[in-house]
Structures are given as C-alpha cells and as structure tokens.
Short mmCIF file of all heavy atoms in Angstrom, two decimals:
data_model
loop_
_atom_site.label_atom_id
_atom_site.label_comp_id
_atom_site.label_asym_id
_atom_site.label_seq_id
_atom_site.Cartn_x
_atom_site.Cartn_y
_atom_site.Cartn_z
N MET A 20 101.70 85.26 105.90
CA MET A 20 100.50 85.08 106.73
C MET A 20 99.30 85.71 106.04
O MET A 20 99.42 86.77 105.44
CB MET A 20 100.69 85.79 108.09
CG MET A 20 101.55 84.98 109.03
SD MET A 20 101.60 85.74 110.65
CE MET A 20 102.68 84.59 111.47
N PRO A 21 98.18 85.06 106.18
CA PRO A 21 96.96 85.61 105.57
C PRO A 21 96.39 86.74 106.38
O PRO A 21 95.38 86.60 107.05
CB PRO A 21 96.02 84.41 105.53
CG PRO A 21 96.46 83.55 106.67
CD PRO A 21 97.94 83.78 106.83
N ILE A 22 97.04 87.86 106.33
CA ILE A 22 96.53 89.01 107.06
C ILE A 22 95.83 89.94 106.09
O ILE A 22 96.40 90.36 105.09
CB ILE A 22 97.69 89.76 107.75
CG1 ILE A 22 98.36 88.84 108.77
CG2 ILE A 22 97.17 91.02 108.42
CD1 ILE A 22 99.54 89.49 109.48
N TYR A 23 94.59 90.24 106.42
CA TYR A 23 93.81 91.11 105.55
C TYR A 23 93.57 92.44 106.26
O TYR A 23 93.52 92.51 107.48
CB TYR A 23 92.47 90.47 105.19
CG TYR A 23 92.64 89.21 104.38
CD1 TYR A 23 92.35 87.98 104.93
CD2 TYR A 23 93.09 89.27 103.07
CE1 TYR A 23 92.50 86.81 104.18
CE2 TYR A 23 93.25 88.13 102.32
CZ TYR A 23 92.96 86.89 102.89
OH TYR A 23 93.12 85.75 102.16
N GLU A 24 93.42 93.43 105.44
CA GLU A 24 93.16 94.76 105.98
C GLU A 24 91.67 95.06 105.87
O GLU A 24 91.07 94.88 104.82
CB GLU A 24 93.96 95.79 105.20
CG GLU A 24 93.89 97.18 105.85
CD GLU A 24 94.78 98.16 105.11
OE1 GLU A 24 94.41 98.55 104.00
OE2 GLU A 24 95.84 98.53 105.62
N TYR A 25 91.13 95.51 106.96
CA TYR A 25 89.71 95.81 107.00
C TYR A 25 89.49 97.27 107.34
O TYR A 25 90.29 97.89 108.03
CB TYR A 25 89.00 94.94 108.03
CG TYR A 25 88.87 93.49 107.61
CD1 TYR A 25 89.89 92.59 107.85
CD2 TYR A 25 87.72 93.04 106.96
CE1 TYR A 25 89.78 91.26 107.46
CE2 TYR A 25 87.60 91.73 106.56
CZ TYR A 25 88.63 90.83 106.82
OH TYR A 25 88.52 89.53 106.43
N ALA A 26 88.38 97.77 106.86
CA ALA A 26 87.99 99.13 107.19
C ALA A 26 86.57 99.11 107.73
O ALA A 26 85.67 98.53 107.13
CB ALA A 26 88.07 100.02 105.95
N CYS A 27 86.38 99.73 108.88
CA CYS A 27 85.07 99.75 109.49
C CYS A 27 84.19 100.79 108.79
O CYS A 27 84.61 101.92 108.55
CB CYS A 27 85.19 100.07 110.98
SG CYS A 27 83.60 100.12 111.81
N ALA A 28 82.98 100.36 108.48
CA ALA A 28 82.07 101.26 107.80
C ALA A 28 81.33 102.15 108.79
O ALA A 28 80.61 103.05 108.41
CB ALA A 28 81.07 100.47 106.97
N SER A 29 81.52 101.87 110.07
CA SER A 29 80.81 102.62 111.09
C SER A 29 81.65 103.77 111.62
O SER A 29 81.21 104.92 111.65
CB SER A 29 80.43 101.69 112.23
OG SER A 29 79.68 102.40 113.20
N CYS A 30 82.86 103.45 112.01
CA CYS A 30 83.72 104.49 112.58
C CYS A 30 84.90 104.82 111.66
O CYS A 30 85.63 105.75 111.91
CB CYS A 30 84.23 104.06 113.95
SG CYS A 30 85.35 102.65 113.93
N GLY A 31 85.06 104.00 110.62
CA GLY A 31 86.12 104.29 109.65
C GLY A 31 87.49 103.83 110.08
O GLY A 31 88.49 104.20 109.47
N LYS A 32 87.54 103.03 111.10
CA LYS A 32 88.82 102.56 111.59
C LYS A 32 89.37 101.48 110.65
O LYS A 32 88.63 100.62 110.19
CB LYS A 32 88.68 101.98 112.99
CG LYS A 32 90.00 101.47 113.57
CD LYS A 32 89.81 100.97 114.98
CE LYS A 32 91.13 100.48 115.56
NZ LYS A 32 92.13 101.58 115.62
N VAL A 33 90.64 101.57 110.37
CA VAL A 33 91.29 100.58 109.52
C VAL A 33 92.19 99.71 110.38
O VAL A 33 92.99 100.21 111.16
CB VAL A 33 92.13 101.26 108.42
CG1 VAL A 33 92.81 100.22 107.55
CG2 VAL A 33 91.24 102.17 107.57
N PHE A 34 92.02 98.42 110.23
CA PHE A 34 92.80 97.51 111.05
C PHE A 34 93.10 96.27 110.25
O PHE A 34 92.53 96.02 109.20
CB PHE A 34 92.02 97.14 112.33
CG PHE A 34 90.69 96.49 112.04
CD1 PHE A 34 90.56 95.11 112.07
CD2 PHE A 34 89.59 97.27 111.75
CE1 PHE A 34 89.34 94.51 111.80
CE2 PHE A 34 88.36 96.67 111.47
CZ PHE A 34 88.24 95.29 111.51
N GLU A 35 94.03 95.50 110.77
CA GLU A 35 94.42 94.26 110.11
C GLU A 35 93.97 93.08 110.94
O GLU A 35 94.02 93.11 112.16
CB GLU A 35 95.93 94.23 109.92
CG GLU A 35 96.42 95.29 108.95
CD GLU A 35 97.92 95.22 108.78
OE1 GLU A 35 98.59 94.55 109.59
OE2 GLU A 35 98.43 95.85 107.85
N GLU A 36 93.53 92.07 110.24
CA GLU A 36 93.03 90.90 110.94
C GLU A 36 93.67 89.66 110.34
O GLU A 36 93.81 89.54 109.12
CB GLU A 36 91.50 90.82 110.79
CG GLU A 36 90.88 89.77 111.67
CD GLU A 36 90.88 90.15 113.14
OE1 GLU A 36 91.01 91.33 113.45
OE2 GLU A 36 90.75 89.25 113.99
N LEU A 37 94.06 88.78 111.20
CA LEU A 37 94.67 87.54 110.74
C LEU A 37 93.57 86.51 110.48
O LEU A 37 92.82 86.16 111.39
CB LEU A 37 95.64 87.01 111.80
CG LEU A 37 96.27 85.65 111.48
CD1 LEU A 37 97.13 85.75 110.23
CD2 LEU A 37 97.11 85.17 112.66
N ILE A 38 93.48 86.12 109.26
CA ILE A 38 92.42 85.18 108.88
C ILE A 38 93.05 83.82 108.60
O ILE A 38 93.72 83.63 107.59
CB ILE A 38 91.66 85.67 107.64
CG1 ILE A 38 91.11 87.06 107.89
CG2 ILE A 38 90.56 84.70 107.28
CD1 ILE A 38 90.11 87.14 109.02
N LEU A 39 92.83 82.91 109.52
CA LEU A 39 93.36 81.57 109.32
C LEU A 39 92.35 80.68 108.62
O LEU A 39 92.71 79.82 107.83
CB LEU A 39 93.75 80.97 110.67
CG LEU A 39 94.88 81.71 111.40
CD1 LEU A 39 95.13 81.07 112.75
CD2 LEU A 39 96.16 81.68 110.58
N ARG A 40 91.10 80.91 108.93
CA ARG A 40 90.05 80.11 108.30
C ARG A 40 89.04 81.03 107.67
O ARG A 40 88.92 82.20 108.01
CB ARG A 40 89.37 79.22 109.35
CG ARG A 40 90.34 78.24 109.99
CD ARG A 40 89.63 77.41 111.03
NE ARG A 40 90.56 76.50 111.71
CZ ARG A 40 90.20 75.68 112.68
NH1 ARG A 40 88.94 75.66 113.11
NH2 ARG A 40 91.08 74.89 113.24
N ALA A 41 88.29 80.44 106.77
CA ALA A 41 87.29 81.24 106.07
C ALA A 41 86.21 81.73 107.04
O ALA A 41 85.62 82.78 106.85
CB ALA A 41 86.66 80.42 104.96
N ARG A 42 85.97 80.95 108.09
CA ARG A 42 84.93 81.33 109.03
C ARG A 42 85.35 82.53 109.86
O ARG A 42 84.52 83.27 110.38
CB ARG A 42 84.60 80.15 109.95
CG ARG A 42 83.94 79.01 109.20
CD ARG A 42 83.42 77.94 110.16
NE ARG A 42 82.41 78.51 111.06
CZ ARG A 42 81.76 77.78 111.97
NH1 ARG A 42 82.02 76.49 112.09
NH2 ARG A 42 80.86 78.31 112.75
N ASP A 43 86.66 82.68 110.02
CA ASP A 43 87.13 83.81 110.81
C ASP A 43 86.74 85.13 110.17
O ASP A 43 86.52 86.12 110.83
CB ASP A 43 88.64 83.73 110.97
CG ASP A 43 89.04 82.53 111.83
OD1 ASP A 43 88.15 81.96 112.49
OD2 ASP A 43 90.21 82.15 111.81
N GLU A 44 86.70 85.10 108.86
CA GLU A 44 86.41 86.34 108.16
C GLU A 44 84.98 86.80 108.43
O GLU A 44 84.68 87.98 108.41
CB GLU A 44 86.60 86.13 106.66
CG GLU A 44 86.49 87.41 105.87
CD GLU A 44 86.83 87.19 104.41
OE1 GLU A 44 86.97 86.04 104.00
OE2 GLU A 44 86.95 88.19 103.69
N ALA A 45 84.12 85.86 108.70
CA ALA A 45 82.72 86.22 108.95
C ALA A 45 82.52 86.75 110.36
O ALA A 45 81.47 87.29 110.67
CB ALA A 45 81.83 85.01 108.72
N GLU A 46 83.54 86.58 111.17
CA GLU A 46 83.42 87.02 112.56
C GLU A 46 84.34 88.19 112.86
O GLU A 46 84.63 88.48 114.01
CB GLU A 46 83.74 85.86 113.50
CG GLU A 46 82.79 84.69 113.33
CD GLU A 46 83.14 83.56 114.27
OE1 GLU A 46 84.17 83.69 114.96
OE2 GLU A 46 82.41 82.57 114.31
N VAL A 47 84.80 88.82 111.81
CA VAL A 47 85.68 89.96 112.01
C VAL A 47 84.88 91.14 112.54
O VAL A 47 83.86 91.51 111.97
CB VAL A 47 86.37 90.35 110.69
CG1 VAL A 47 87.20 91.62 110.88
CG2 VAL A 47 87.25 89.22 110.21
N THR A 48 85.33 91.66 113.63
CA THR A 48 84.65 92.81 114.22
C THR A 48 85.63 93.97 114.37
O THR A 48 86.83 93.77 114.49
CB THR A 48 84.09 92.45 115.61
OG1 THR A 48 85.14 91.93 116.41
CG2 THR A 48 82.99 91.42 115.49
N CYS A 49 85.09 95.14 114.35
CA CYS A 49 85.92 96.32 114.47
C CYS A 49 86.43 96.45 115.91
O CYS A 49 85.64 96.42 116.85
CB CYS A 49 85.12 97.56 114.07
SG CYS A 49 86.00 99.09 114.40
N PRO A 50 87.72 96.59 116.08
CA PRO A 50 88.28 96.74 117.43
C PRO A 50 87.93 98.09 118.05
O PRO A 50 88.14 98.31 119.23
CB PRO A 50 89.79 96.61 117.20
CG PRO A 50 90.01 97.02 115.80
CD PRO A 50 88.76 96.62 115.05
N GLY A 51 87.42 98.98 117.22
CA GLY A 51 87.11 100.31 117.71
C GLY A 51 85.71 100.40 118.28
O GLY A 51 85.50 100.88 119.39
N CYS A 52 84.74 99.93 117.52
CA CYS A 52 83.35 100.06 117.95
C CYS A 52 82.69 98.69 118.14
O CYS A 52 81.62 98.60 118.68
CB CYS A 52 82.56 100.89 116.94
SG CYS A 52 82.49 100.15 115.29
N GLY A 53 83.36 97.65 117.67
CA GLY A 53 82.84 96.31 117.90
C GLY A 53 81.77 95.88 116.91
O GLY A 53 81.13 94.85 117.08
N ARG A 54 81.58 96.67 115.87
CA ARG A 54 80.59 96.31 114.87
C ARG A 54 81.18 95.38 113.82
O ARG A 54 82.40 95.29 113.68
CB ARG A 54 80.04 97.57 114.19
CG ARG A 54 79.21 98.40 115.13
CD ARG A 54 78.72 99.64 114.41
NE ARG A 54 77.89 100.47 115.26
CZ ARG A 54 76.57 100.32 115.38
NH1 ARG A 54 75.93 99.40 114.69
NH2 ARG A 54 75.88 101.10 116.18
N ARG A 55 80.31 94.75 113.12
CA ARG A 55 80.76 93.84 112.07
C ARG A 55 80.63 94.46 110.69
O ARG A 55 80.74 93.79 109.68
CB ARG A 55 79.95 92.55 112.11
CG ARG A 55 80.25 91.72 113.35
CD ARG A 55 79.56 90.39 113.27
NE ARG A 55 79.87 89.56 114.44
CZ ARG A 55 79.38 88.34 114.63
NH1 ARG A 55 78.56 87.82 113.74
NH2 ARG A 55 79.70 87.65 115.70
N GLU A 56 80.38 95.72 110.68
CA GLU A 56 80.24 96.39 109.39
C GLU A 56 81.62 96.75 108.85
O GLU A 56 81.98 97.91 108.72
CB GLU A 56 79.39 97.65 109.55
CG GLU A 56 77.99 97.33 110.03
CD GLU A 56 77.17 98.59 110.26
OE1 GLU A 56 77.66 99.67 109.89
OE2 GLU A 56 76.07 98.49 110.78
N VAL A 57 82.36 95.71 108.56
CA VAL A 57 83.73 95.93 108.09
C VAL A 57 83.83 95.49 106.64
O VAL A 57 83.12 94.61 106.19
CB VAL A 57 84.74 95.15 108.94
CG1 VAL A 57 84.73 95.67 110.36
CG2 VAL A 57 84.46 93.67 108.91
N THR A 58 84.70 96.15 105.93
CA THR A 58 84.91 95.83 104.52
C THR A 58 86.37 95.49 104.31
O THR A 58 87.25 96.24 104.74
CB THR A 58 84.52 97.02 103.64
OG1 THR A 58 83.17 97.39 103.93
CG2 THR A 58 84.63 96.64 102.17
N ARG A 59 86.59 94.42 103.64
CA ARG A 59 87.97 94.01 103.43
C ARG A 59 88.60 94.86 102.32
O ARG A 59 88.04 95.03 101.25
CB ARG A 59 88.04 92.54 103.04
CG ARG A 59 89.46 92.02 103.06
CD ARG A 59 89.50 90.54 102.82
NE ARG A 59 89.17 90.21 101.43
CZ ARG A 59 89.16 88.98 100.96
NH1 ARG A 59 89.39 87.97 101.75
NH2 ARG A 59 88.88 88.75 99.70
N GLN A 60 89.75 95.38 102.64
CA GLN A 60 90.45 96.22 101.68
C GLN A 60 91.30 95.35 100.76
O GLN A 60 91.48 94.16 100.98
CB GLN A 60 91.34 97.22 102.41
CG GLN A 60 90.57 98.05 103.41
CD GLN A 60 89.47 98.87 102.75
OE1 GLN A 60 89.73 99.74 101.98
NE2 GLN A 60 88.22 98.55 103.05
N MET A 61 91.81 95.98 99.77
CA MET A 61 92.67 95.24 98.83
C MET A 61 93.95 94.81 99.54
O MET A 61 94.52 95.55 100.33
CB MET A 61 93.02 96.12 97.63
CG MET A 61 91.80 96.47 96.80
SD MET A 61 92.23 97.46 95.37
CE MET A 61 93.22 96.31 94.44
N SER A 62 94.35 93.62 99.23
CA SER A 62 95.54 93.08 99.88
C SER A 62 96.76 93.91 99.51
O SER A 62 96.94 94.33 98.39
CB SER A 62 95.76 91.64 99.44
OG SER A 62 95.95 91.60 98.05
N ARG A 63 97.56 94.12 100.50
CA ARG A 63 98.77 94.89 100.27
C ARG A 63 99.94 94.14 100.92
O ARG A 63 99.75 93.40 101.85
CB ARG A 63 98.66 96.28 100.88
CG ARG A 63 98.49 96.22 102.39
CD ARG A 63 98.76 97.56 103.02
NE ARG A 63 97.86 98.60 102.54
CZ ARG A 63 97.92 99.85 102.98
NH1 ARG A 63 98.82 100.17 103.89
NH2 ARG A 63 97.10 100.76 102.54
N PRO A 64 101.11 94.35 100.43
CA PRO A 64 102.27 93.70 101.03
C PRO A 64 102.43 94.13 102.48
O PRO A 64 102.30 95.29 102.80
CB PRO A 64 103.45 94.17 100.17
CG PRO A 64 102.94 95.36 99.43
CD PRO A 64 101.47 95.15 99.27
N ALA A 65 102.71 93.17 103.30
CA ALA A 65 102.80 93.43 104.73
C ALA A 65 104.15 93.99 105.13
O ALA A 65 104.49 94.04 106.28
CB ALA A 65 102.53 92.15 105.51
N ALA A 66 104.91 94.40 104.15
CA ALA A 66 106.23 94.94 104.45
C ALA A 66 106.08 96.33 105.05
O ALA A 66 105.67 97.27 104.38
CB ALA A 66 107.06 95.00 103.19
N THR A 67 106.44 96.44 106.30
CA THR A 67 106.31 97.73 106.96
C THR A 67 107.68 98.24 107.41
O THR A 67 107.84 98.74 108.49
CB THR A 67 105.36 97.62 108.17
OG1 THR A 67 105.87 96.61 109.03
CG2 THR A 67 103.96 97.26 107.72
N ALA A 68 108.64 98.05 106.55
CA ALA A 68 109.99 98.48 106.90
C ALA A 68 110.06 100.00 106.88
O ALA A 68 109.63 100.65 105.93
CB ALA A 68 110.99 97.90 105.93
N SER A 69 110.62 100.55 107.91
CA SER A 69 110.73 102.00 107.97
C SER A 69 111.71 102.49 106.90
O SER A 69 112.56 101.75 106.42
CB SER A 69 111.24 102.43 109.35
OG SER A 69 112.50 101.86 109.59
N SER A 70 111.56 103.73 106.58
CA SER A 70 112.41 104.29 105.53
C SER A 70 113.87 104.28 105.97
O SER A 70 114.28 105.05 106.82
CB SER A 70 111.96 105.72 105.22
OG SER A 70 112.08 106.50 106.39
N GLY A 71 114.63 103.39 105.37
CA GLY A 71 116.04 103.31 105.76
C GLY A 71 116.87 104.29 104.99
O GLY A 71 116.49 104.78 103.93
N SER A 72 118.03 104.59 105.55
CA SER A 72 118.92 105.52 104.89
C SER A 72 119.58 104.85 103.69
O SER A 72 119.55 103.65 103.54
CB SER A 72 119.98 106.01 105.85
OG SER A 72 120.75 104.93 106.31
N GLY A 73 120.18 105.64 102.86
CA GLY A 73 120.83 105.07 101.68
C GLY A 73 119.92 105.16 100.48
O GLY A 73 118.84 104.60 100.45
N GLY A 74 120.39 105.88 99.51
CA GLY A 74 119.57 106.04 98.31
C GLY A 74 119.66 104.84 97.41
O GLY A 74 120.67 104.14 97.37
N GLY A 75 118.62 104.61 96.69
CA GLY A 75 118.63 103.49 95.77
C GLY A 75 118.66 104.00 94.34
O GLY A 75 117.81 104.78 93.94
N GLY A 76 119.63 103.57 93.62
CA GLY A 76 119.76 104.03 92.24
C GLY A 76 118.67 103.43 91.37
O GLY A 76 117.83 102.68 91.86
N PRO A 77 118.68 103.81 90.14
CA PRO A 77 117.69 103.27 89.20
C PRO A 77 117.89 101.77 89.00
O PRO A 77 118.92 101.22 89.32
CB PRO A 77 117.96 104.03 87.90
CG PRO A 77 119.38 104.50 88.02
CD PRO A 77 119.60 104.72 89.50
N GLY A 78 116.87 101.17 88.48
CA GLY A 78 116.93 99.73 88.29
C GLY A 78 118.13 99.33 87.44
O GLY A 78 118.53 100.04 86.52
N ARG A 79 118.68 98.23 87.81
CA ARG A 79 119.85 97.76 87.07
C ARG A 79 119.62 96.32 86.65
O ARG A 79 118.75 95.65 87.15
CB ARG A 79 121.09 97.85 87.94
CG ARG A 79 120.98 96.99 89.18
CD ARG A 79 122.22 97.11 90.05
NE ARG A 79 122.07 96.32 91.28
CZ ARG A 79 122.99 96.28 92.23
NH1 ARG A 79 124.08 96.98 92.12
NH2 ARG A 79 122.79 95.54 93.30
N GLY A 80 120.46 95.88 85.76
CA GLY A 80 120.34 94.50 85.31
C GLY A 80 119.13 94.29 84.44
O GLY A 80 118.50 93.26 84.46
N CYS A 81 118.77 95.31 83.71
CA CYS A 81 117.59 95.18 82.88
C CYS A 81 117.97 95.24 81.40
O CYS A 81 117.19 95.56 80.54
CB CYS A 81 116.59 96.30 83.18
SG CYS A 81 114.94 96.01 82.51
N GLY A 82 119.24 94.96 81.15
CA GLY A 82 119.72 95.04 79.78
C GLY A 82 119.51 93.72 79.06
O GLY A 82 118.96 92.78 79.62
N PRO A 83 119.91 93.73 77.84
CA PRO A 83 119.77 92.51 77.02
C PRO A 83 120.69 91.40 77.53
O PRO A 83 121.79 91.67 77.97
CB PRO A 83 120.17 92.96 75.61
CG PRO A 83 121.04 94.16 75.85
CD PRO A 83 120.50 94.81 77.10
N VAL A 84 120.20 90.22 77.44
CA VAL A 84 120.98 89.08 77.91
C VAL A 84 121.84 88.56 76.78
O VAL A 84 121.39 88.35 75.69
CB VAL A 84 120.04 87.97 78.41
CG1 VAL A 84 120.84 86.78 78.87
CG2 VAL A 84 119.16 88.48 79.53
N GLY A 85 123.12 88.40 77.09
CA GLY A 85 123.94 87.85 76.05
C GLY A 85 125.37 88.04 76.21
O GLY A 85 126.12 88.68 76.61
ZN1 ZN B 119 84.32 100.62 113.94
#
C-alpha cells in the first residue's frame, strides 16, 4: 500500500497517511493540529512486526555457488 509517513512542522507529530492518488497528498493534514504544514518522510518498510523470540544466526547461504 502506498502509505507515506508525514511529520508535522507545527506540532512535530509523525503520522502515516494512505495516499491513493496524487491529489490526496496535497490535502494531507496533521491529525494533531489540523495544519497542512506536513513534510513527507523517507519511505520505510511498513513491517511493524513486534520483536519475536528466537535468535537469528548470521547470514547463511552466502557462499560460492557450485
Ligand atoms: Zn500538527
């Protein structure tokens, strides 16, 4: 999903907004103060999986093919 992260320049609130159309981006308002002084942050993976148990070893399968 085209979800972008925005940061309000007025109150500093960071929120995510679902942008389906380009016009939606122009109407993004801060849910905190309602201003449009928002800045789009760098896109980040939307994976918000909580820290699960179980350790992960070092990368594997990175050896020479043959
Ligand atoms: Zn705000």
Side-chain angles (χ1 to χ4, degrees):
M20 282 186 181
I22 298 178
Y23 296 110
E24 189 176 72
Y25 288 86
C27 180
S29 183
C30 67
K32 181 178 181 62
V33 179
F34 58 98
E35 293 180 347
E36 189 73 19
L37 176 64
I38 304 298
L39 296 177
R40 298 179 183 179
R42 293 189 61 178
D43 293 346
E44 187 174 9
E46 299 180 355
V47 175
T48 54
C49 172
C52 62
R54 291 179 179 272
R55 291 187 179 180
E56 298 177 8
V57 297
T58 305
R59 191 174 71 178
Q60 305 299 295
M61 295 182 65
S62 61
R63 63 164 60 179
T67 57
S69 60
S70 60
S72 61
R79 61 181 177 182
C81 194
V84 179

